Amino acid sequence: LAWNNTVIGRKRPRTPGVASLDAHFELPRHLVESVSDALRAGDTGQVHDIVAPLHFSQIADLIERLEPEHRRQLVIAERDHLPPQFLNELDRSLRREVVKAIGRKRFAKALAELDTGDAVDLIEDVKRKKRQEVLDLILAPQRAPIVAALAYPRDSAGRLMHPEVVAIPTAWSVGATIDYLRDSDDLPNEFYAIFVVDAQNRPIGALPLDRVMRAKRPVVVDDIMEVEHLKPIPAKIDQEHVGHLFQDLDLVSAPVVDDDGRLVGTIMVDDIIDVIEEEAEEDFLHLAGVSDSDVFLPAIATARQRLRWLVVTLINTIIASLVISQFEATIQQVVALAVLMPIVAAMGGNAGMQVVTVTVRALATKEITAGNTLRVVWKEVRVGFINGIVFALIMGTLAALWFGAALLGCVLAAAMMLNMLWSGIAGTLIPLVVHRLGGDPAIAAGPFLTTTTDVLGFFLFLGLATVVLI
Amino acid sequence: LAWNNTVIGRKRPRTPGVASLDAHFELPRHLVESVSDALRAGDTGQVHDIVAPLHFSQIADLIERLEPEHRRQLVIAERDHLPPQFLNELDRSLRREVVKAIGRKRFAKALAELDTGDAVDLIEDVKRKKRQEVLDLILAPQRAPIVAALAYPRDSAGRLMHPEVVAIPTAWSVGATIDYLRDSDDLPNEFYAIFVVDAQNRPIGALPLDRVMRAKRPVVVDDIMEVEHLKPIPAKIDQEHVGHLFQDLDLVSAPVVDDDGRLVGTIMVDDIIDVIEEEAEEDFLHLAGVSDSDVFLPAIATARQRLRWLVVTLINTIIASLVISQFEATIQQVVALAVLMPIVAAMGGNAGMQVVTVTVRALATKEITAGNTLRVVWKEVRVGFINGIVFALIMGTLAALWFGAALLGCVLAAAMMLNMLWSGIAGTLIPLVVHRLGGDPAIAAGPFLTTTTDVLGFFLFLGLATVVLI
C-alpha cells in the first residue's frame, strides 16, 4: 500500500469537482458508474486513474456504493495504492470483506501506518485467533502501542486514546518548550495541547498551543498552564462516559491516566465525535429492532439480522391473540368489539413507545439518574393520565355514536384510559429496570412494553365488555 | 453576573468530590438535596456557598435536577454570580424560564461575554419582538458579530462559526507569525489553526499550531502550510452538512467563507459535536412521535407535546377499524379471524418500522443518495420477501394447528407474506418520498407506514377469508 499521508508543503493537484470547494463533499454519481464500467471491462488502469486522486473518505464511500461483486474487484485491483485511513471510514459491516480482499500482510502494514486508536478499532473486529497472526506481521515499535491498547477493556478510554503525548515539567519556560518541540523527533502527528506533569508523571496542567505561542519565551509554564479545565480520564472508564465528559465540559483534549494517575495517553475531541454518534445511533436502531446499520449488507444477511426481533414480535402478538381467544364468545355476540379493540391496543402501545424513547435517551445522556428517577416516573404517570382522559373522551364518544351504544363507548373509554395510564408506568419502569439490571434498555424495552399494552388493552376492553355488555 | 472565565495560571480551589478526578463528573446527589433544603429554608448564603465552586455544566445539571419551583428560586438568588456558559449547557426546554428569571439586562450581559456562536444559540430562542430589545442592551462591539451571525439562515454554518479568525499572508515567516501572535491583542480565546489567505482574503492553506511550533523561525509559511485537508465551508450551508464534512474528513477546524470565497469565520470540531448529537437525537425522538426531549418539562407541557402524534395514531387506527368493520359479517361467522388479525397487522408494522428506521438514519448520514436509492429499495423488497415467507410458514402452520383449519392457516400465511413484502416497499419508499419532497422523514414516515400496514393487513386477511372461507 502506498500511504497518502498529508505531504507537508506539497500542493497536490486536485481532481476537478472532487476535492475542491464542493460543499457537500459527496462522491459524484458518475464516478461510481465510471468505476463500475471500468471494473466490468477489466480496465484496471482506468480504475486506478479514477481512484488515485480521491480522498480516503471518498474511497470508502465509493466502495460502499459499488455493487457487492465490484467491491472486491476494486479493492484487489487497488490494494497496493489505497490509503490505510479508508478502512476506518468504511461502514463496519463491510470491513471484514474488504480486509479479506486486501490480504493479511497488507492489512498489517496498514495497521502499522495508522494512528494507534484507528488501528485498534480495525483489529478489534478481527477474530481472536487471527488477531495474533496479524499482529506478528507488524514490527515491534508499531505493534507495542496497539498491543498495549488492546489490553484495555473494549470501548474503554484506553482503547480510544492516542498513546503519543507531549508532556513537560512545570519548571520549563516557554522558550525551552518551543525549542524542545522544534528539536524533538518523536512527537505525535497532530496535537492541540501540551500536558504539564509532576515528578511522578501525573498531569497537573494543560498548555493549549495558542497560549504557548502568545507568551514570551522567558515565561514559565507553571504561570500560564490551564488548571481549571484539566480533566484526567481513567483509562478503564467506558467511552460513553468520555463522550459525556467532553460534551459537558466542552473539552478539546484530555489526558488519560492509569490507576495511579500517571499520564498514559490523550484523547482528542475528534476521537469523540464518532463515539457520540455511535452511541446515539445504537439506541436508535436497537429501539426499532435493528441490531446494526445494515444498509450495505446483502439482503439475506439483513433479513437474518432483523429476524430475531420479528420472532420476539411474533411471540408478543401470539400472547395477545391468546388473550383475545379467551373472549371469542363475547366477540361473536358483539362484533363491534373486534372493530374497536385494535384502537385500545395501538393507543396504549404508541403512547408507551413515546415514553420508552424519551426514557432510553434520557438514560443514555444521563438526564435520568438515581436522584430524579422517582420524579420522572411520577411525571409520566401524570402524562399518561392526562392523555388517557383526553383520548378516552374523544374515542368513547366517537364509538358510542358510531355503534349507537353508549355503554360500548363507556367500556372503550375506560379501557383506553387505564391502558394509557399503564403505558406511562410501564414506559418508564421497564427501561429503568432493564438498565438497572445491566441490560440495554433500547433492545429490551420495546417488545416488553408492547406486549404489556397489547395484553392489557385487549384484556381490559374485552373483559369489561364481557362483564358490562353481555 | 460575575463571569467565571478561566483565569490563566491561577489555581482555583476545588470542591472535594466535585471538580476532581471523578470520572463521570456527575453532580453528587446530596448536593441537589442540600440546595433544595437551603432554598426551602430561604438560606441564600448557604445556596451561594454550594453553587459558587461548581463548573458551569454542573450548574446547568443542578438546575435541571431541581424541582420546578426551586429552579426559579435558585436562578434568582444566584443570578449575579452565575457563569454565562451555564445557559448553553441547560436543556433547551428550560432556557426560556431561566432567562426570564435572570432578567433582560443580565441576559444581555451574558450574551456579550459568551462566544458569538453560543450567544446566537441562546438569542435564537428569544421571540423576534423581544430579540431587538435584548440586542440593544449589548454594546456595539459585542453586538456586531451576533447581529452578523443572525443574518445567516437558522442552522447554517454562518450561525455556527466563530467570526474571530487568525489569518496571515503566505509570504510571512514562522518568526513573523509567532511575533504577530505575541503582540496582537484581538485574537480569539482559543484557536488550533491559523489560516493562510491570498490578497482577496480567500483561504488557501491552514497552519496547524503544532506545525508552527515545530518549524524554525525563518521558514516561510507557504512551505509548511497544509493544503490537502483545507476545506472552506460556505457560510450558508446547513449545519448538518458541516457535521458530515467534519466527520468524513476528520477535520479539527475549517474556514468559513462567504459567497465570494472570502474568509468570514471558523468552525471547530467541538462546535460540531452538539450538532451531530442533536441531529441523531432529533430523528430518534421524531420517529417515536416526540417532538423534543421533554424530560425536564412539566407533565402538562409534555402531554401537550405528545398529543399531536397520538391524534395521528388515533386517526390511523380509526381508518384500520373502518376496514375491519367492512368485514363484521365474516368475523361473526369465523371468530378466529378476530383472534389472528392483530398478528398480520403487527408483523407488517414492525417489519416496516425496521425498514423505516434504517432508511431514515441512512438518509441522515447520507448513506442513501440518488445513486443507490433504487438498489436500497430493491434490497428491502427482497428482505421483506424473505422474512415474509419465513413468518408466513411459521404462523400459517401454527394457526392451522391451533384452529384445526388448514385453509385458515393458508389465508393467514398469504396475508402475512404480502403485508411483509409491502412493508419493505413502503418502509423505504415513504421516507424517500417525504425526504425528496423536503419533509422530515422521521416525523412523517412512521404514521404513514403503520396506517398502510394496518389497513393492508386487515384488508388482505379479512378479504381473503371472506372469499376463501365463507
Side-chain angles (χ1 to χ4, degrees), chain A residues 389-438:
Chain A
I389 286 188
V390 170
F391 286 97
L393 284 176
I394 297 176
M395 199 55 225
T397 313
L398 281 179
L401 294 173
W402 184 355
F403 292 95
L407 215 52
L408 179 65
C410 292
V411 168
L412 182 70
M416 268 184 84
M417 165 75 235
L418 291 172
N419 204 25
M420 286 184 79
L421 179 60
W422 167 250
S423 74
I425 303 171
T428 41
L429 282 187
I430 293 175
L432 285 168
V433 169
V434 173
H435 180 76
R436 181 62 67 88
L437 296 177

Side-chain angles (χ1 to χ4, degrees), chain B residues 128-170:
Chain B
R128 209 165 282 271
K129 269 190 263 174
K130 297 210 172 158
R131 199 183 281 177
Q132 195 51 50
E133 294 173 30
V134 173
L135 285 173
D136 287 342
L137 292 169
I138 306 176
L139 290 178
Q142 281 89 43
R143 187 177 58 219
I146 300 178
V147 172
L150 282 170
Y152 291 104
R154 197 172 176 121
D155 291 339
S156 67
R159 289 229 179 156
L160 201 63
M161 74 184 185
H162 304 263
E164 309 85 7
V165 272
V166 184
I168 56 167
T170 37

Side-chain angles (χ1 to χ4, degrees), chain A residues 6-304:
Chain A
T6 312
V7 183
I8 296 185
R10 217 186 78 203
K11 290 174 200 174
R12 283 166 145 273
R14 288 199 182 135
T15 317
V18 174
S20 71
L21 274 163
D22 159 39
H24 300 219
F25 200 67
E26 268 170 29
L27 202 61
R29 193 171 164 184
H30 66 85
L31 216 141
V32 181
E33 282 158 22
S34 315
V35 171
S36 301
D37 290 344
L39 285 169
R40 224 171 276 123
D43 186 351
T44 53
Q46 171 73 4
V47 171
H48 180 75
D49 288 346
I50 301 173
V51 174
L54 295 180
H55 184 273
F56 59 79
S57 93
Q58 291 180 310
I59 294 177
D61 251 24
L62 173 64
I63 294 174
E64 288 169 358
R65 278 174 219 306
L66 285 175
E67 302 283 334
E69 65 268 34
H70 286 152
R71 284 184 194 139
R72 205 181 133 74
Q73 285 179 31
L74 172 75
V75 173
I76 290 179
E78 281 297 291
R79 61 188 174 187
D80 286 320
H81 313 287
L82 294 171
Q85 297 92 335
F86 90 96
L87 287 166
N88 290 95
E89 299 295 325
L90 207 59
D91 196 79
R92 210 168 274 275
S93 60
L94 295 181
R95 284 193 197 160
R96 185 163 296 179
E97 185 192 336
V98 167
V99 166
K100 218 170 166 185
I102 285 182
R104 199 178 298 163
K105 268 195 187 163
R106 289 187 194 82
F107 180 52
K109 201 172 165 211
L111 295 178
E113 297 274 341
L114 286 168
D115 279 350
T116 307
D118 289 340
V120 169
D121 192 42
L122 290 176
I123 204 164
E124 267 180 352
D125 290 341
V126 176
K127 281 181 190 146
R128 210 166 284 271
K129 268 190 264 173
K130 296 211 172 157
R131 200 183 281 176
Q132 196 51 51
E133 293 175 31
V134 173
L135 286 173
D136 287 342
L137 290 169
I138 306 176
L139 289 178
Q142 281 90 44
R143 186 177 58 217
I146 301 178
V147 172
L150 282 170
Y152 291 105
R154 199 174 172 119
D155 291 340
S156 68
R159 288 226 178 159
L160 201 61
M161 74 185 183
H162 304 263
E164 309 85 8
V165 272
V166 184
I168 57 167
T170 38
W172 280 21
S173 68
V174 165
T177 307
I178 293 184
D179 293 342
Y180 164 71
L181 295 177
R182 281 198 187 135
D183 298 334
S184 188
D185 287 332
D186 58 344
L187 295 179
N189 273 338
E190 281 182 348
F191 56 95
Y192 311 103
I194 300 168
F195 295 112
V196 184
V197 290
D198 65 11
Q200 280 74 46
N201 198 27
R202 285 186 297 235
I204 51 173
L207 209 51
L209 290 187
D210 61 303
R211 241 178 237 192
V212 182
M213 302 202 51
R214 282 189 241 189
K216 309 269 181 210
R217 284 185 65 93
V219 172
V220 177
V221 160
D222 195 31
D223 290 335
I224 56 163
M225 71 181 186
E226 190 177 293
V227 180
E228 172 84 354
H229 287 167
L230 186 76
K231 193 73 204 149
I233 293 173
K236 285 180 182 162
I237 70 166
D238 194 89
Q239 60 176 17
E240 208 178 332
H241 292 308
V242 182
H244 290 300
L245 214 58
F246 268 75
Q247 272 192 297
D248 286 351
L249 304 184
D250 292 333
L251 298 178
V252 173
S253 68
V256 181
V257 294
D258 64 13
D259 291 342
D260 300 321
R262 280 188 292 255
L263 186 65
V264 290
T266 172
I267 292 179
M268 280 179 315
V269 65
D270 47 324
D271 306 315
I272 291 301
I273 281 201
D274 294 331
V275 170
I276 287 175
E277 193 179 41
E278 259 174 44
E279 299 290 344
E281 194 166 45
E282 222 175 64
D283 280 348
F284 182 81
L285 295 171
H286 286 178
L287 208 57
V290 188
S291 51
D292 272 311
S293 169
D294 58 15
V295 187
F296 301 119
L297 284 182
I300 186 82
T302 302
R304 203 186 303 137

Side-chain angles (χ1 to χ4, degrees), chain A residues 6 9 11-12 14 20-26 29 55 57 65-67 89 91 181-183 188-189 191-192 209-210 212-216 223 225 227-229 231-232 241 245 247-250 252 269 273-274 276-277 281 283-284 288-289 293-295 297 299 302-303 306-307 309-310 313 317 321-322 324 328 332 335 338-339 341-343 346-347 350 354-355 357-358 361-362 366-367 369 371-372 375 379-380 383 387 391 402, chain B residues 6 9 12 14 20-26 29 55 57 65-67 89 91 181-183 188-192 209-210 212-216 222-223 227-229 231-232 241 245 247-250 252 269 273-274 276-277 281 283-284 288-289 293-295 297 299 302-303 306-307 309-311 313 317 321-322 324 328 332 335 338-339 341-343 346-347 350 354-355 357-358 361-362 366-367 369 371-372 375 379-380 383 387 391 402:
Chain A
T6 312
K11 290 174 200 174
R12 283 166 145 273
R14 288 199 182 135
S20 71
L21 274 163
D22 159 39
H24 300 219
F25 200 67
E26 268 170 29
R29 193 171 164 184
H55 184 273
S57 93
R65 278 174 219 306
L66 285 175
E67 302 283 334
E89 299 295 325
D91 196 79
L181 295 177
R182 281 198 187 135
D183 298 334
N189 273 338
F191 56 95
Y192 311 103
L209 290 187
D210 61 303
V212 182
M213 302 202 51
R214 282 189 241 189
K216 309 269 181 210
D223 290 335
M225 71 181 186
V227 180
E228 172 84 354
H229 287 167
K231 193 73 204 149
H241 292 308
L245 214 58
Q247 272 192 297
D248 286 351
L249 304 184
D250 292 333
V252 173
V269 65
I273 281 201
D274 294 331
I276 287 175
E277 193 179 41
E281 194 166 45
D283 280 348
F284 182 81
S293 169
D294 58 15
V295 187
L297 284 182
T302 302
R306 299 200 194 148
L307 200 81
W309 167 280
L310 291 173
T313 303
T317 52
S321 292
L322 285 170
I324 300 173
E328 282 189 39
Q332 200 142 29
V335 184
V339 175
M341 68 185 189
I343 296 180
M347 290 303 287
N350 275 281
Q354 290 185 327
V355 186
T357 303
V358 169
R361 193 68 201 134
K366 305 207 179 302
E367 289 179 339
T369 54
N372 63 353
R375 183 143 53 93
K379 187 194 118 175
E380 288 298 347
V383 173
N387 278 337
F391 286 97
W402 184 355
Chain B
T6 311
R12 287 169 142 268
R14 290 201 182 134
S20 71
L21 275 165
D22 160 38
H24 301 220
F25 199 68
E26 269 170 28
R29 195 170 163 183
H55 184 273
S57 93
R65 278 174 219 306
L66 286 174
E67 300 284 335
E89 299 295 325
D91 195 81
L181 295 176
R182 282 198 186 134
D183 299 334
N189 273 339
E190 280 182 348
F191 55 94
Y192 311 101
L209 291 186
D210 61 302
V212 181
M213 302 201 52
R214 282 191 240 187
K216 309 269 181 211
D222 194 31
D223 290 334
V227 180
E228 174 85 353
H229 286 166
K231 194 73 207 150
H241 292 308
L245 215 56
Q247 272 192 298
D248 286 350
L249 303 185
D250 291 334
V252 172
V269 65
I273 281 200
D274 294 330
I276 287 176
E277 193 179 41
E281 195 167 42
D283 280 349
F284 182 80
S293 170
D294 57 15
V295 186
L297 284 182
T302 301
R306 299 199 194 150
L307 200 80
W309 167 280
L310 291 174
V311 169
T313 302
T317 53
S321 292
L322 286 171
I324 300 173
E328 282 189 38
Q332 201 143 26
V335 184
V339 175
M341 68 185 188
I343 297 180
M347 291 302 288
N350 275 282
Q354 291 185 325
V355 186
T357 303
V358 169
R361 194 66 201 135
K366 303 208 182 300
E367 291 179 337
T369 54
N372 63 353
R375 183 142 54 93
K379 186 193 119 172
E380 289 297 347
V383 173
N387 278 338
F391 286 97
W402 184 355

Side-chain angles (χ1 to χ4, degrees), chain B residues 302-334:
Chain B
T302 301
R304 202 185 305 136
Q305 240 201 40
R306 299 199 194 150
L307 200 80
R308 242 170 304 164
W309 167 280
L310 291 174
V311 169
V312 176
T313 302
L314 186 68
I315 295 170
N316 293 346
T317 53
I318 290 178
I319 295 173
S321 292
L322 286 171
V323 173
I324 300 173
S325 71
Q326 304 309 308
F327 299 97
E328 282 189 38
T330 310
I331 294 173
Q332 201 143 26
Q333 285 186 53
V334 189

Side-chain angles (χ1 to χ4, degrees), chain B residues 5-261:
Chain B
N5 279 330
T6 311
V7 183
I8 296 185
R10 216 188 77 205
K11 289 174 202 177
R12 287 169 142 268
R14 290 201 182 134
T15 318
V18 174
S20 71
L21 275 165
D22 160 38
H24 301 220
F25 199 68
E26 269 170 28
L27 202 62
R29 195 170 163 183
H30 66 84
L31 215 141
V32 181
E33 283 158 20
S34 315
V35 171
S36 301
D37 290 344
L39 285 169
R40 223 171 275 123
D43 185 349
T44 53
Q46 172 73 3
V47 170
H48 180 75
D49 288 346
I50 301 174
V51 174
L54 295 180
H55 184 273
F56 59 78
S57 93
Q58 290 181 311
I59 295 177
D61 250 23
L62 173 64
I63 294 174
E64 287 170 358
R65 278 174 219 306
L66 286 174
E67 300 284 335
E69 64 268 34
H70 287 152
R71 283 184 195 140
R72 205 181 133 73
Q73 286 179 30
L74 172 76
V75 172
I76 290 178
E78 282 296 292
R79 59 188 174 187
D80 285 321
H81 312 287
L82 294 171
Q85 297 91 335
F86 90 96
L87 287 166
N88 291 94
E89 299 295 325
L90 208 59
D91 195 81
R92 209 168 274 276
S93 61
L94 295 180
R95 285 191 197 161
R96 184 163 297 179
E97 185 191 337
V98 167
V99 166
K100 218 170 168 184
I102 286 183
R104 200 178 299 165
K105 268 194 190 167
R106 289 187 193 82
F107 180 52
K109 201 173 165 211
L111 295 179
E113 296 275 340
L114 285 168
D115 278 351
T116 307
D118 288 340
V120 169
D121 192 42
L122 290 175
I123 203 163
E124 266 180 352
D125 290 341
V126 175
K127 280 181 191 147
R128 209 165 282 271
K129 269 190 263 174
K130 297 210 172 158
R131 199 183 281 177
Q132 195 51 50
E133 294 173 30
V134 173
L135 285 173
D136 287 342
L137 292 169
I138 306 176
L139 290 178
Q142 281 89 43
R143 187 177 58 219
I146 300 178
V147 172
L150 282 170
Y152 291 104
R154 197 172 176 121
D155 291 339
S156 67
R159 289 229 179 156
L160 201 63
M161 74 184 185
H162 304 263
E164 309 85 7
V165 272
V166 184
I168 56 167
T170 37
W172 280 21
S173 68
V174 165
T177 307
I178 293 183
D179 292 342
Y180 164 72
L181 295 176
R182 282 198 186 134
D183 299 334
S184 187
D185 287 333
D186 58 345
L187 293 179
N189 273 339
E190 280 182 348
F191 55 94
Y192 311 101
I194 300 167
F195 294 111
V196 183
V197 290
D198 65 12
Q200 280 75 45
N201 198 27
R202 285 186 297 236
I204 50 172
L207 208 52
L209 291 186
D210 61 302
R211 244 181 234 191
V212 181
M213 302 201 52
R214 282 191 240 187
K216 309 269 181 211
R217 285 183 67 92
V219 172
V220 176
V221 160
D222 194 31
D223 290 334
I224 56 163
M225 71 183 185
E226 190 177 292
V227 180
E228 174 85 353
H229 286 166
L230 186 76
K231 194 73 207 150
I233 293 174
K236 286 180 181 161
I237 70 165
D238 194 88
Q239 61 177 15
E240 208 178 331
H241 292 308
V242 183
H244 290 301
L245 215 56
F246 269 75
Q247 272 192 298
D248 286 350
L249 303 185
D250 291 334
L251 298 178
V252 172
S253 67
V256 180
V257 294
D258 64 13
D259 290 342
D260 300 321

